[in-house]
Amino acid sequence: MIRISVDVMGGDYDPEVAIAGAAIVQKYLSNIYFLFYGIEEVVKPVLKKYPCLDSISRFFPTESYTRMDEKPSQALRNGRGKSSMWYAIEAVKNGEADACVSAGNTGALMAMSYFCLKMLAEAERPGIAGIWPTLRSESIVLDIGATIGASASQLVDLAVMGAGMFRALYHTEKPSVGLLNVGVEEAKGLYEIKKAGMILREVQLEGLEYKGFVEGNDIGKGTVDVVVTEGFSGNIALKTAEGTARQIAEILNSAMRSSFLTSLGYFLSRRAFRTLKNKMDPDRVNGGVLLGLNGVVIKSHGSANANGFASAIRVGYEMVNNGLLKKITADLRRFHENKETLFDQEDEAAMSGESL
Amino acid sequence: MIRISVDVMGGDYDPEVAIAGAAIVQKYLSNIYFLFYGIEEVVKPVLKKYPCLDSISRFFPTESYTRMDEKPSQALRNGRGKSSMWYAIEAVKNGEADACVSAGNTGALMAMSYFCLKMLAEAERPGIAGIWPTLRSESIVLDIGATIGASASQLVDLAVMGAGMFRALYHTEKPSVGLLNVGVEEAKGLYEIKKAGMILREVQLEGLEYKGFVEGNDIGKGTVDVVVTEGFSGNIALKTAEGTARQIAEILNSAMRSSFLTSLGYFLSRRAFRTLKNKMDPDRVNGGVLLGLNGVVIKSHGSANANGFASAIRVGYEMVNNGLLKKITADLRRFHENKETLFDQEDEAAMSGESL
């Protein structure tokens, strides 16, 4: 039995999204149990509409919920021991749940999870990993916004955690890993990335195959299974890709409506557009994973629909089912045990050119 | 008369691209003159095919050319005083040309331009600005890869230079400017960006209207005319957007060929696809501009066709015609004269939240 604690109150829309998402998941996963957290007056009437969840869930009323516009520190102050988000996370800490899912405010979720669950002994800093649809299939990109900037050692941690997540989700023994970089050979300021590349080549981790540097356009191609970068550029990459996809959709949409012929053409070829939509659908690959913590916490997109929320629950389920934390911990330990030796080596190796 | 020096040997394809591009431009710009630089045996036969250029161009044979795979330092060592790229840049320095256009190796072009032309007295570091097609029209994004990392003062320089370029190209009196950031209010490591935002609000530059922070998805929306960021994340954003556009095109292309109905639909709606292609066409908005130098240097995309090269020439022409350097210099001076006072102010203001 895998138990998922759900912050029903998170997200931009109504709480029905989370509960309807749970109802979708229970259709194809028999060994799942839900712990719902939220304001009683809001959640109870919704739960009544989903009797299919009666026997596999329990509802815990909470005093408050964390709003989408609260700053992380404010959310922690206001929500600690009170809000639905806090209780959903605490259920993981107390061993009552195996994973937590929330569509709430990312900063607040990160802060509360960090405060409540603490870091894995082996990880230096948390990261958020996203699932990115690619031409090949799907890749994991991290960090997409947990922390800004990263040392070489922190980039290696991210590589290990991202590869562990990829193995848990896609059952690949040795996922390929690339470090996101710019295509300038002699560029300055990339010391930490080059150093991380050297370490990944040297340390020969069990759970990943290091492939070298990748550029922004390699993400969509699916050149590697796991793309590693620090949170600033990761977030810029994610948002820019979303913006570009929306831009193309809007241009095409209005061009298709511009005449009778194009409208007819659209009608006849709508199956192709459905294929595109399915492949790029943010709801299909929904679920940012907070990595590096003593517990599994999944962030569903604030604007996800019930199918999207179901995907996020599914991600949490797979993580637990495939022993994500154990997988990550072993490789992190292996890296940190060898770290001193690795960092003692001549730095020159790190500065030599390298690319895919 | 505006004189453009052209490195005919740059680019991934044959030298005909540059010359055919010049031939396109001369059809609609009467007061243009070209100085072509390249290897005689290669360029002369091509020039013969374009007699329309005879009276408005002169060819200068060079000993060598800069290869696409040369590292910047290597290119400078090998090409100085010898290669077509060097001579095209030097023509600007010597006042024989008003702007230089090359489709060659970006790093080499940057290094040679920096070495040969030197920086504007008022600018701290160079930047490369790109033209980005948006839902609204076009925006300028900089720096897309000249240098990694930027101080607050360097970000303000980029804002001033990007706005100057926007005014020269689109004749807007006060282009709107945004600083690229992530959507995390209390994030750390963004001190330089917040500080730059504070300065841009305080100093009230003549040539731009500062609008606050923007995120990655604002670029494609066209939320602001000029998006400012340091070269690492700028390059990641650019490449990621290119990758996403190619990904969507490939998925749609293969989905459209998947059945007779979808193929027919594609045929009927091909006009809509042409609209999309025109709007997103990298050749239409080709031309990265090297900013901060004592002269106008344009980088055409290495894989651009003749139309793309013509766009790059056109960008150089507009820059000169609209007095780019004078526009930039005035605002840079205004900023640097007030800089000491601005940096003396309490830093706390910079740390307060701010967003669009």
Side-chain angles (χ1 to χ4, degrees):
Chain A
M1 177 75 75
I2 287 170
R3 302 153 304 164
I4 310 280
S5 62
V6 177
D7 166 20
V8 181
M9 310 297 294
D12 300 336
Y13 304 118
D14 67 304
E16 185 151 353
V17 167
I19 290 166
I24 292 169
V25 172
Q26 62 81 32
K27 279 184 212 154
Y28 57 87
L29 292 176
S30 54
N31 58 340
I32 197 163
Y33 190 87
F34 295 102
L35 294 82
F36 294 120
Y37 295 86
I39 307 287
E40 186 152 16
E41 308 89 87
V42 179
V43 181
K44 269 284 175 79
V46 180
L47 271 174
K48 278 219 184 82
K49 295 200 249 169
Y50 296 88
C52 60
L53 293 170
D54 281 354
S55 64
I56 56 155
S57 72
R58 196 174 152 192
F59 172 63
F60 300 87
T62 64
E63 201 175 311
S64 71
Y65 69 98
T66 299
R67 292 194 322 277
M68 292 306 271
D69 59 355
E70 279 181 281
K71 291 189 178 186
S73 57
Q74 202 183 351
L76 190 58
R77 215 162 39 237
N78 298 341
R80 191 179 165 191
K82 283 182 199 157
S83 85
S84 53
M85 186 187 276
W86 173 271
Y87 278 115
I89 297 166
E90 204 181 44
V92 174
K93 187 194 172 194
N94 296 341
E96 291 149 22
D98 302 302
C100 163
V101 182
S102 171
N105 172 342
T106 310
L109 188 65
M110 191 79 242
M112 282 191 194
S113 302
Y114 183 81
F115 187 85
C116 181
L117 298 172
K118 306 281 184 299
M119 293 297 294
L120 279 173
E122 293 77 9
E124 282 182 46
R125 288 203 311 193
I128 302 178
I131 302 170
W132 194 296
T134 72
L135 277 174
R136 220 161 49 106
S137 56
E138 281 155 19
S139 295
I140 285 172
V141 179
L142 78 167
D143 172 21
I144 53 171
T147 42
I148 309 287
S151 67
S153 166
Q154 286 157 352
L155 287 169
V156 176
D157 279 1
L158 288 172
V160 169
M161 298 193 293
M165 174 173 159
F166 196 93
R167 282 184 290 156
L169 278 181
Y170 304 100
H171 313 290
T172 307
E173 214 179 301
K174 264 183 174 295
S176 56
V177 171
L179 289 167
L180 192 62
N181 204 344
V182 295
V184 187
E185 290 262 359
E186 282 174 296
K188 285 168 199 157
L190 299 172
Y191 176 79
E192 295 299 332
I193 298 177
K194 289 184 178 181
K195 180 88 188 167
M198 190 211 76
I199 295 171
L200 284 166
R201 263 199 318 274
E202 290 290 318
V203 74
Q204 298 280 345
L205 294 162
E206 300 263 319
L208 63 88
E209 193 185 353
Y210 176 60
K211 292 283 196 181
F213 297 150
V214 294
E215 292 194 62
N217 52 341
D218 287 305
I219 311 178
K221 274 189 211 163
T223 306
V224 289
D225 296 326
V226 181
V227 177
V228 175
T229 183
E230 53 77 42
F232 188 86
S233 48
N235 187 276
I236 299 289
L238 178 72
K239 294 274 176 72
T240 304
E242 284 175 2
T244 305
R246 205 168 312 128
Q247 182 185 0
I248 293 174
E250 284 193 31
I251 294 172
L252 206 48
N253 197 11
S254 86
M256 284 292 185
R257 289 161 197 267
S258 65
S259 76
F260 172 73
L261 258 193
T262 55
S263 300
L264 178 63
Y266 174 75
F267 179 76
L268 294 175
S269 58
R270 65 198 184 284
R271 212 179 141 152
F273 286 97
R274 217 174 299 132
T275 305
L276 175 67
K277 194 167 175 292
N278 285 341
K279 291 212 177 183
M280 301 294 285
D281 188 4
D283 279 329
R284 193 178 59 94
V285 292
N286 184 34
V289 180
L290 274 54
L291 290 171
L293 301 167
N294 257 320
V296 177
V297 179
I298 312 292
K299 161 77 175 100
S300 171
H301 203 292
S303 60
N305 61 18
N307 280 317
F309 203 92
S311 304
I313 294 173
R314 177 76 194 235
V315 167
Y317 178 93
E318 294 288 345
M319 295 302 196
V320 175
N321 205 25
N322 295 294
L324 172 75
L325 293 187
K326 234 173 87 186
K327 282 199 165 74
I328 286 180
T329 312
D331 257 354
L332 280 179
R333 193 170 301 143
R334 191 181 155 86
F335 160 50
H336 285 276
E337 277 166 8
N338 290 293
K339 209 169 126 177
E340 300 243 328
T341 339
L342 285 162
F343 276 86
D344 280 349
Q345 291 179 10
E346 279 304 313
D347 277 356
E348 277 153 41
M351 303 312 287
S352 67
E354 175 202 23
S355 64
L356 255 193
Chain B
M1 178 73 75
I2 286 170
R3 301 153 305 163
I4 310 280
S5 61
V6 177
D7 166 20
V8 181
M9 309 297 295
D12 300 336
Y13 304 118
D14 67 305
E16 184 150 354
V17 167
I19 290 167
I24 292 169
V25 172
Q26 63 81 32
K27 279 184 211 154
Y28 57 87
L29 292 175
S30 53
N31 57 340
I32 197 163
Y33 190 87
F34 295 103
L35 294 81
F36 294 120
Y37 295 86
I39 307 287
E40 187 152 16
E41 308 88 87
V42 179
V43 181
K44 269 283 174 80
V46 180
L47 271 174
K48 277 219 184 83
K49 295 201 250 170
Y50 296 89
C52 60
L53 292 170
D54 281 354
S55 64
I56 56 155
S57 72
R58 197 175 152 191
F59 172 63
F60 300 87
T62 64
E63 202 176 310
S64 71
Y65 68 98
T66 300
R67 293 194 321 277
M68 293 305 271
D69 59 355
E70 279 181 281
K71 291 190 176 185
S73 57
Q74 201 183 352
L76 191 57
R77 216 163 39 237
N78 298 341
R80 190 179 166 192
K82 283 182 200 156
S83 85
S84 53
M85 185 187 277
W86 173 271
Y87 278 115
I89 297 166
E90 203 181 45
V92 174
K93 186 194 172 194
N94 297 341
E96 292 149 21
D98 302 302
C100 163
V101 182
S102 171
N105 171 343
T106 310
L109 188 65
M110 191 78 241
M112 282 192 196
S113 302
Y114 183 81
F115 187 86
C116 180
L117 298 172
K118 307 280 184 300
M119 294 297 294
L120 279 173
E122 293 77 10
E124 281 181 48
R125 287 204 309 192
I128 302 178
I131 302 170
W132 194 296
T134 71
L135 278 173
R136 220 161 49 106
S137 56
E138 281 155 19
S139 295
I140 285 171
V141 179
L142 77 168
D143 173 21
I144 53 172
T147 42
I148 310 287
S151 67
S153 166
Q154 286 157 352
L155 287 169
V156 176
D157 279 0
L158 288 172
V160 169
M161 297 193 293
M165 174 173 158
F166 195 93
R167 283 184 289 155
L169 278 181
Y170 304 101
H171 313 291
T172 307
E173 214 180 302
K174 264 182 174 295
S176 56
V177 171
L179 288 167
L180 192 62
N181 204 344
V182 295
V184 187
E185 291 261 359
E186 282 174 296
K188 286 168 199 158
L190 300 171
Y191 176 80
E192 296 298 332
I193 298 177
K194 290 185 176 180
K195 180 87 189 169
M198 191 211 76
I199 295 172
L200 283 167
R201 264 199 317 274
E202 290 290 318
V203 74
Q204 298 281 344
L205 294 163
E206 300 264 319
L208 63 88
E209 194 184 353
Y210 176 60
K211 291 283 194 182
F213 297 150
V214 294
E215 292 194 62
N217 52 341
D218 287 304
I219 311 178
K221 273 189 212 163
T223 306
V224 289
D225 297 326
V226 181
V227 176
V228 175
T229 183
E230 54 77 41
F232 188 86
S233 48
N235 188 276
I236 299 289
L238 178 73
K239 294 274 176 72
T240 304
E242 284 176 1
T244 305
R246 206 168 312 129
Q247 183 185 359
I248 293 174
E250 283 192 32
I251 294 171
L252 207 48
N253 197 12
S254 85
M256 284 293 185
R257 289 160 197 268
S258 65
S259 76
F260 172 72
L261 258 193
T262 54
S263 299
L264 178 63
Y266 174 75
F267 179 76
L268 294 175
S269 58
R270 66 197 184 284
R271 211 179 143 152
F273 285 97
R274 217 174 300 133
T275 305
L276 175 67
K277 194 169 176 291
N278 285 340
K279 290 212 178 183
M280 301 293 286
D281 188 4
D283 279 330
R284 194 178 59 94
V285 292
N286 184 35
V289 180
L290 274 55
L291 291 171
L293 301 167
N294 258 319
V296 177
V297 179
I298 312 293
K299 161 78 174 101
S300 171
H301 203 292
S303 60
N305 61 18
N307 280 316
F309 203 92
S311 304
I313 295 174
R314 178 76 193 236
V315 167
Y317 178 94
E318 293 289 345
M319 294 302 196
V320 175
N321 204 25
N322 295 294
L324 172 75
L325 293 187
K326 234 174 88 185
K327 282 199 166 74
I328 286 180
T329 313
D331 257 354
L332 280 179
R333 193 170 300 142
R334 191 181 155 86
F335 160 49
H336 285 276
E337 277 166 8
N338 290 293
K339 209 170 125 176
E340 299 243 328
T341 339
L342 286 162
F343 276 86
D344 280 349
Q345 290 179 12
E346 279 305 313
D347 277 356
E348 277 153 41
M351 303 311 288
S352 67
E354 173 202 23
S355 64
L356 255 193

